Amino acid sequence: MSCCSSSSKSSHIHPIKDLFKVFKEELQHHLPIATMSVAMAIMIISFINVFFEHGIVACTVADMHSMTDHVHDSCNHTSGMDVLFHSFHFIHILFATSGTMLTFYRYSNSKFLGVFIGAISALVFCTFSDILLPYTAGSLLGVNMDLHICFSSELSNVLPFLFIGLLNGVIMSKSEKFLTEENSLFLHFWHTFISALASIFYALGHGLPNYYDHFGLFFLLMIVAVVLPCTLSDVVAPILFARMIQKK
């Protein structure tokens, strides 16, 4: 797409007159989608648990038993669930970065700030959603969970996905087709769905393979682990910063 004039560039920008109203409208659209994403992710996990009971899950449980005397300083990549967690966690970073940037660019034209917010938001909220909150959920269920933060120990794996997410965000922001509410909801669905899978795979691979013993409560805790950080990343943070720019 060729470069637009400054007037056409700003044609997609939505003025933030009533911040509470904007949050309310965005959350009403995003929360149901995020909740259904968690439900679908648990359904997929259940299929994996049944059809690979003597494969992925059995391998994971065996690996967890073999690590009882060790602190998980470096991730056990022989664990099936841990491999799946890392795959979805890294992809989650890509989706979160692009999604945050697109929401921000719906309300602001500040390119540099959009890139900055996209990067920081993804690193912070993906860590909370995929690692810290599932870790807390397992601990609340009385499980001795294992803590592993990829950003601190696997930065070389994190950065490529972060970079591509930023690149995608910049490229998509140049087309008004990507800056629509419909596209924002579409990306939010995939963002929350991938986040849900990453969160659940982390919980299962780092101490909670028998999640079905606490199925109802586990579902509620995973909703919190996914919906809260992803909504903050996709909705609250970018709109707040865009509002700050508009006030200047």
Side-chain angles (χ1 to χ4, degrees):
M1 182 176 180
S2 60
C3 292
C4 304
S5 65
S6 59
S7 60
S8 62
K9 273 186 177 180
S10 61
S11 61
H12 64 267
I13 301 299
H14 302 282
I16 309 175
K17 296 179 180 179
D18 187 337
L19 192 60
F20 176 77
K21 184 178 179 180
V22 171
F23 281 151
K24 182 180 177 181
E25 290 176 352
E26 292 281 355
L27 292 175
Q28 283 177 340
H29 285 87
H30 285 258
L31 282 175
I33 292 176
T35 302
M36 288 186 286
S37 298
V38 176
M40 289 180 63
I42 289 183
M43 180 179 67
I44 290 174
I45 299 297
S46 298
F47 275 112
I48 292 176
N49 197 20
V50 170
F51 292 107
F52 294 92
E53 184 175 2
H54 302 294
I56 294 177
V57 175
C59 175
T60 303
V61 174
D63 286 337
M64 289 305 303
H65 288 319
S66 70
M67 296 186 322
T68 53
D69 297 327
H70 299 85
V71 177
H72 203 171
D73 292 327
S74 59
C75 253
N76 183 9
H77 291 284
T78 63
S79 164
M81 289 296 174
D82 200 52
V83 171
L84 289 170
F85 155 69
H86 277 85
S87 299
F88 282 96
H89 176 58
F90 296 147
I91 295 170
H92 179 202
I93 291 172
L94 187 154
F95 271 81
T97 305
S98 299
T100 299
M101 292 174 68
L102 284 183
T103 301
F104 178 82
Y105 290 138
R106 286 174 59 203
Y107 296 95
S108 174
N109 267 331
S110 177
K111 296 299 182 184
F112 174 78
L113 188 57
V115 171
F116 177 77
I117 293 172
I120 298 301
S121 180
L123 292 176
V124 171
F125 291 120
C126 287
T127 300
F128 269 97
S129 178
D130 297 353
I131 300 171
L132 296 180
L133 290 180
Y135 174 87
T136 302
S139 300
L140 290 174
L141 293 174
V143 176
N144 184 20
M145 295 293 290
D146 195 42
L147 183 62
H148 169 77
I149 298 177
C150 300
F151 176 68
S152 63
S153 61
E154 298 181 64
L155 189 59
S156 61
N157 289 329
V158 170
L159 290 180
F161 291 90
L162 180 65
F163 174 77
I164 296 300
L166 294 172
L167 182 62
N168 282 351
V170 171
I171 293 173
M172 288 189 291
S173 71
K174 295 183 180 297
S175 172
E176 292 188 18
K177 294 180 181 179
F178 287 108
L179 294 168
T180 62
E181 183 177 344
E182 291 76 15
N183 187 66
S184 178
L185 292 173
F186 176 77
L187 284 176
H188 186 69
F189 167 77
W190 284 107
H191 177 187
T192 52
F193 180 63
I194 291 169
S195 173
L197 287 171
S199 300
I200 295 170
F201 282 134
Y202 182 90
L204 271 59
H206 292 76
L208 192 63
N210 297 321
Y211 67 96
Y212 38 82
D213 292 339
H214 316 277
F215 206 101
L217 186 54
F218 180 74
F219 172 61
L220 294 177
L221 290 172
M222 287 301 98
I223 287 178
V224 175
V226 173
V227 171
L228 182 61
C230 288
T231 303
L232 288 172
S233 173
D234 276 359
V235 180
V236 178
I239 294 178
L240 271 177
F241 279 98
R243 174 63 179 268
M244 291 168 57
I245 292 297
Q246 283 188 11
K247 282 185 173 183
K248 291 183 178 180

